[in-house]
């Protein structure tokens, strides 16, 4: 009876592990879908200038659909902490020091790669990208590798509490946000005070408070193995906090448009709740339907998840890098073709076609090369 009970327990743990990793793959694939779609709209069409000019209402269905890309970055950073907790358990043969040293090297490489992406996107390497944030989050969790989960949770709360202060703070070196980050200083140079402020408080995915998503992801993975029911209650609590903050900050229980660059407290709670909710819903699916559509969707999301680093850099180089370089070569203006080349609907279709073509290419790449020579493959080799 004891052996039978042990066997059932092992089977249950194995099933939970399979469901957990499918959930992580699907969530990362969804985040990649939302990010590529949003970037196509912002870089290839006049969507962003139209938003700044107030030409679009937040009540339109198109606006609401495209604005879902604001959840992509929090999902990626959340999954950093969630995945590292699972990675720690799978690599139990490595000593804690070996795990920490490996992650410190890996985080540093990702952090440096973020500078290249910033240069491709904005022509200035000193603007922080989500890869900078992910790299720092990996290194921070590596340093906290031996810390109790309660300490990590309290640190996340502390970073979250910085959000309203960083949003409202106006030190003398703080420039207007759009001047500082997009397109940058006219002379192309910032003081170190501006650089540090941009990176830590008010920048695009500023390290403080955005890093709290990675810390909460670690805590969620710890709680995941103990009680999913508590996580469902956490979703309710986080959304309740978001509504209350919206009421006190905006005078209404909920508004669709709110500041996320730099992050407001309401956005932080809302994004965390949305990420947890989607992850829990995905975890309820042991597998997608066995129809051809279900298998295709599973393959699509899984490929974009496993090769997420490669796809992220590739789509920025093709969507924005090529446009900037072509504009510089033809008319001497690297921004000449950005935000003007296609209509909104054309950019949306281009993003979908790009993801389908990339999925097909990745399918054959994985089949013939087993994922070798991807950026993730190189990252693992360099961080050994």
């Amino acid at each position: 009876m004891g052996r039978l009970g042990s066997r059932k327990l092992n089977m249950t743990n194995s099933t939970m592990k399979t469901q957990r990793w499918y959930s992580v793959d699907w969530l990362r694939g969804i985040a990649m879908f939302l990010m590529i779609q949003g970037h196509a709209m912002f870089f290839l069409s006049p969507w962003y200038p139209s938003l700044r000019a107030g030409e679009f209402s937040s009540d339109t269905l198109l606006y609401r659909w495209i604005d879902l890309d604001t959840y992509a970055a929090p999902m990626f950073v959340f999954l950093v902490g969630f995945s590292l907790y699972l990675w720690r358990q799978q690599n139990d043969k490595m000593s804690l020091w070996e795990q920490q040293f490996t992650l410190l090297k890996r985080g540093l490489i990702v952090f440096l790669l973020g500078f290249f992406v910033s240069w491709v996107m904005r022509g200035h390497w000193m603007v922080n990208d989500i890869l900078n944030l992910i790299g720092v989050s990996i290194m921070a969790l590596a340093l906290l590798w031996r810390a109790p989960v309660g300490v990590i949770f309290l640190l996340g709360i502390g970073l979250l509490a910085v959000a309203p202060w960083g949003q409202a703070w106006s030190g003398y070196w703080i420039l207007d946000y759009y001047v500082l980050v997009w397109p940058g200083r006219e002379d192309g140079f910032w003081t170190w005070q501006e650089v540090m402020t941009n990176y830590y408080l008010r920048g695009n995915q500023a390290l403080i408070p955005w890093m709290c998503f990675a810390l909460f992801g670690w805590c969620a993975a710890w709680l995941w193995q103990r009680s999913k029911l508590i996580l469902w209650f956490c979703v309710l609590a986080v959304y309740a906090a978001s509504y209350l903050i919206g009421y006190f900050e905006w005078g209404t229980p909920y508004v669709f448009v709110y500041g996320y660059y730099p992050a407001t407290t309401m956005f932080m709670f809302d994004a965390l709740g949305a990420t947890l909710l989607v992850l829990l819903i995905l975890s309820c699916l042991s597998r997608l339907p066995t129809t051809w559509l279900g298998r295709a969707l599973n393959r699509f999301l899984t490929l974009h998840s496993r090769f997420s680093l490669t796809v992220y850099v590739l789509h920025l180089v093709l969507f924005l890098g090529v446009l900037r370089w072509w504009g510089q070569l033809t008319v001497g203006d690297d921004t000449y073709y950005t935000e003007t080349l296609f209509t909104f609907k054309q950019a949306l279709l281009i993003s979908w076609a790009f993801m389908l073509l990339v999925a097909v290419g990745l399918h054959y790449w994985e089949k013939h090369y087993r994922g070798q020579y991807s950026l993730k493959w190189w990252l693992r080799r360099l961080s050994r």
Side-chain angles (χ1 to χ4, degrees), residues 2 8 13 36 45 63 112 157 167 251 253 287 322-323 340 356:
K8 287 183 178 180
N13 290 337
I36 292 177
S45 75
Y63 181 94
L112 296 177
I157 293 294
Q167 175 81 353
R287 58 180 179 176
V322 172
L323 291 180
T340 60
L356 287 175

Side-chain angles (χ1 to χ4, degrees), residues 98-331:
E98 289 175 329
Q99 293 176 350
Q100 287 179 284
F101 188 60
T102 298
L103 291 179
L104 286 172
K105 292 186 291 183
R106 190 169 298 179
L108 179 61
I109 294 172
V110 174
F111 176 76
L112 296 177
L113 181 61
F115 290 127
F116 167 76
V117 173
S118 296
W119 177 71
V120 170
M121 291 179 64
R122 303 176 180 90
H124 200 303
W125 66 274
M126 195 61 77
V127 182
N128 55 338
D129 180 74
I130 187 176
L131 291 184
N132 298 113
L133 174 59
I134 290 176
V136 172
S137 297
I138 293 174
M139 290 187 285
L141 283 171
L143 295 176
L144 295 170
W145 208 239
R146 304 166 188 264
V149 67
V151 172
I152 296 178
F153 177 77
L154 291 177
L155 285 175
I157 293 294
L159 292 178
L160 185 60
V162 174
W165 179 71
Q167 175 81 353
W169 186 52
S170 55
Y172 71 91
W173 55 70
I174 293 287
L175 302 179
D176 177 77
Y177 173 69
Y178 288 109
V179 175
L180 178 63
V181 176
W182 195 298
R185 287 282 292 276
E186 294 297 331
D187 57 9
F189 295 97
W190 298 334
T191 66
W192 279 110
Q193 293 95 332
E194 291 168 348
V195 171
M196 299 303 288
T197 302
N198 174 41
Y199 262 85
Y200 287 100
L201 287 175
R202 292 183 58 84
N204 188 15
Q205 288 105 29
L207 302 183
I208 301 173
W210 274 70
M211 199 165 59
C212 74
F213 286 116
L215 301 182
F216 288 142
W218 178 279
C219 298
W222 177 86
L223 191 58
W224 182 279
Q225 296 183 330
R226 288 157 177 80
S227 175
K228 287 186 182 179
L229 180 61
I230 296 180
L231 276 179
W232 281 104
F233 283 109
C234 288
V235 171
L236 295 176
V238 168
Y239 269 118
S242 176
Y243 276 67
L244 289 174
I245 293 170
Y247 179 80
F248 288 107
E249 285 189 352
W250 301 84
T252 177
Y254 183 78
V255 290
F256 193 77
V257 183
Y258 43 84
Y260 50 89
Y261 296 140
T264 63
T265 312
M266 179 180 178
F267 169 75
M268 303 297 287
F269 275 96
D270 185 59
L272 179 61
T275 302
L276 281 172
L277 179 61
V278 174
L279 181 62
L280 286 169
I281 292 175
L282 293 176
S283 70
C284 294
L285 304 174
S286 59
R287 58 180 179 176
L288 290 173
T290 55
T291 62
W292 68 270
L293 182 60
R295 293 194 299 269
L297 181 59
N298 176 40
R299 188 63 174 160
F300 175 86
L301 294 176
T302 302
L303 285 171
H304 279 281
S305 171
R306 294 176 181 173
F307 295 91
S308 57
L309 183 59
T310 300
V311 176
Y312 177 75
V313 175
L314 177 64
H315 94 275
L316 289 178
V317 171
L318 293 180
F319 282 5
L320 190 59
V322 172
L323 291 180
R324 292 186 63 250
W325 296 334
W326 181 249
Q328 186 66 39
L329 289 174
T330 55
V331 297

Side-chain angles (χ1 to χ4, degrees), residues 38 40-58 60 62-63 66-67 178 182 257 260 338-345 347:
M41 294 295 294
F42 281 108
F43 298 148
L44 304 183
S45 75
W47 177 262
Y48 189 64
S50 299
L51 287 180
R52 284 183 291 183
E55 298 176 8
F56 279 90
S57 170
S58 60
T60 61
L62 180 61
Y63 181 94
I66 298 302
D67 204 51
Y178 288 109
W182 195 298
V257 183
Y260 50 89
T338 58
E339 301 181 349
T340 60
L341 200 59
F342 301 99
T343 65
F344 307 135
K345 294 181 180 180

